[in-house]
Structures are given as C-alpha cells and as structure tokens.
Amino acid sequence: MQDKNFDALAGKFAKNIYGTPKGEVRAAVLWRDLSQAMAQLPKGPLRILDAGGGFGFFCQKLAKLGHSVTLCDISSEMLALGKAQIQAYEESSGETLDISLIHAPIQSLTQETLGQFDLILCHAVAEWLSDAKQTLGDLTGLLKPDGLFSLMFYNKEAMRFHSLISGNFDYVAADFKVKKKVGLTPSYPLYIQDVRKWVEDWQMELLSESGVRVIHDYLKTHQPPNSDFSQLLEMELQYSTHPAYVGLGRYVHFIMRRL
C-alpha cells in the first residue's frame, strides 16, 4: 500500500478544499481551535511544523503572525503552489515570511535533522496513510514537552451516516469499496474511538475535539430563500464542539498536548 501523493490533483485539491463554502467552514473551525490552543503556548515566535500541509494554507496564516514555520509535503506540485503564493504575498507586502519548504514524505522527518517544535499540524493526512498510527506517533516525537499536536482526520462513521441518509445503501453494505474510486475520497477513513485510543498509546493529553462540517454536508438541496452562509458558519462554530454533534463532522479535529 502506498500513501497518497496529490501531484496529479494539486489544482483540483486546492480549489475544492479551500475555494468553496465547505472549505471556509473547515478553515474557520480549525483556526478557532488553533487560536484558542496556541494561547497556552509560550509567548513570542513559535516553531511550527505543518506535516503534509499541501500548499500551506495555515502555514501562511501562521507565518504572517511572526511564527517560524516548516512546511513538508510529498507533492512537489502542492509545494510549488505554496511557494508561488508565498512569493506573491512577500512581493506585494514587502514582508518576508519565515517558511521553510521540505519536499519529502512525512515519515522521513526526524528530530535529529529538524529539532523539536512547539506546534505540529497534520490536517487531512491521516486518512491517506497506510499506517496512520505509526506515522503520526513518530511525528509526536518531534514535539517539545507540552507542545501541541493539531490532528484533523476523515471520520469514517460520518462517511457512513452521510451515505445512509443519501440512500447509498449498497455502498455502505460493500463497506465503501467501489470499482472506480473518486480521486478525493480518502483511502483510510478513521473511527474517532480508534484515534482516541492512539492518543492514549502515544501518552498524549487530548485537550479538545471538534467536528468539522457537522451541518454543511447534511443540508437539504433546496434551502430557504432567506438563508445565508454567515448563518451556517455561525451554527457550524457553535455546534462543532457539542458532544452530540462532534461525531457528525465529516472531519474531526483533535488538539493534543505532549506530556
């Protein structure tokens, strides 16, 4: 089994993930969670690693706040997109961002070569890894004591529920196995309870859980004429941490602390 490389899908991925309402929901929930968690970290510039961060959506936001960021991805095309965006911002603003780009699989990252970080991001990567527990567990070793790990993963139970309410019963009965797979459908979606157990095995403390898109993906096709996106976003943020709805999130966001 090979881990997913998005070289062939870089443009589509960037557009579909962050250039849509669902991408705005994702970004808002993650940024809210990160901003709250980072208040617990030391003041001043932080060392941050974005493992499998693609073109560096959050890297760029964090670097603009003055942090030192390392962006690693297996896709040269995704990194090229990120580099172009970083250069465009630097040329227009006259500001230099402290971002280092590493073209490599995240399994190759070591403390010996990179040192330790205050914060590690790993968003929408785990569900593409053939051995997510091992790979993510190794990443936790790059954290400083009390460092934070921001992990967002594709939720298999929400994937099942969405298929059920869409009437795709054959797909569910086949355990999501199809002859022709859609390019952006994750290979290894995860169960929340499994990842919670991993956190214990890694001897990490789970600080927060949020569902990402607990409403958006379940909306009926035809919405009331007076509905608007700002209302949806407000509700997503409000209910993303509600215990009854976290498990409905298409993705789930964990923030952990290294003990």
Side-chain angles (χ1 to χ4, degrees), residues 155-219:
N155 179 9
K156 188 169 185 178
E157 211 58 80
M159 179 183 181
R160 188 196 317 277
F161 184 60
H162 187 270
S163 295
L164 287 170
I165 64 173
S166 300
N168 296 326
F169 303 134
D170 290 342
Y171 183 48
V172 173
D175 196 28
F176 312 112
K177 294 179 176 64
V178 291
K179 291 182 179 179
K180 185 175 181 181
K181 199 165 177 293
V182 178
L184 292 178
T185 300
S187 306
Y188 311 101
L190 302 170
Y191 290 115
I192 298 174
Q193 62 269 27
D194 289 343
V195 183
R196 287 195 188 113
K197 181 61 169 60
W198 296 356
V199 175
E200 293 179 12
D201 293 342
W202 299 330
Q203 297 184 321
M204 303 276 285
E205 178 187 7
L206 184 55
L207 299 180
S208 67
E209 301 181 22
S210 296
V212 179
R213 302 202 324 255
V214 300
I215 303 167
H216 176 280
D217 291 18
Y218 306 104
L219 289 172

Side-chain angles (χ1 to χ4, degrees), residues 208-256:
S208 67
E209 301 181 22
S210 296
V212 179
R213 302 202 324 255
V214 300
I215 303 167
H216 176 280
D217 291 18
Y218 306 104
L219 289 172
K220 296 178 181 178
T221 304
H222 301 291
Q223 293 302 299
N226 62 340
S227 65
D228 64 56
F229 179 72
S230 65
Q231 288 180 306
L232 169 62
L233 187 57
E234 180 184 352
M235 292 294 103
E236 289 277 6
L237 289 168
Q238 179 176 340
Y239 289 103
S240 61
T241 56
H242 191 293
Y245 303 122
V246 169
L248 291 176
R250 182 54 65 95
Y251 290 85
V252 173
H253 185 215
F254 282 5
I255 291 187
M256 304 163 271

Side-chain angles (χ1 to χ4, degrees), residues 84-104:
Q85 292 174 3
I86 293 164
Q87 289 178 337
Y89 173 80
E90 291 180 336
E91 289 172 2
S92 64
S93 68
E95 176 186 354
T96 300
L97 299 180
D98 187 357
I99 301 181
S100 301
L101 306 182
I102 299 177
H103 178 218

Side-chain angles (χ1 to χ4, degrees), residues 79-145:
L79 289 175
L81 282 175
K83 185 176 182 180
Q85 292 174 3
I86 293 164
Q87 289 178 337
Y89 173 80
E90 291 180 336
E91 289 172 2
S92 64
S93 68
E95 176 186 354
T96 300
L97 299 180
D98 187 357
I99 301 181
S100 301
L101 306 182
I102 299 177
H103 178 218
I106 61 176
Q107 292 91 338
S108 68
L109 304 178
T110 65
Q111 182 179 329
E112 289 72 25
T113 56
L114 295 176
Q116 291 184 307
F117 296 87
D118 299 288
L119 172 65
I120 293 177
L121 313 180
C122 193
H123 298 160
V125 175
E127 60 271 16
W128 300 102
L129 299 174
S130 57
D131 189 352
K133 181 180 180 182
Q134 182 66 51
T135 299
L136 299 174
D138 290 344
L139 279 178
T140 66
L142 275 69
L143 279 173
K144 296 178 182 178

Side-chain angles (χ1 to χ4, degrees), residues 146-158:
D146 293 322
L148 301 182
F149 194 116
S150 169
L151 173 65
M152 185 183 74
F153 58 91
Y154 198 80
N155 179 9
K156 188 169 185 178
E157 211 58 80

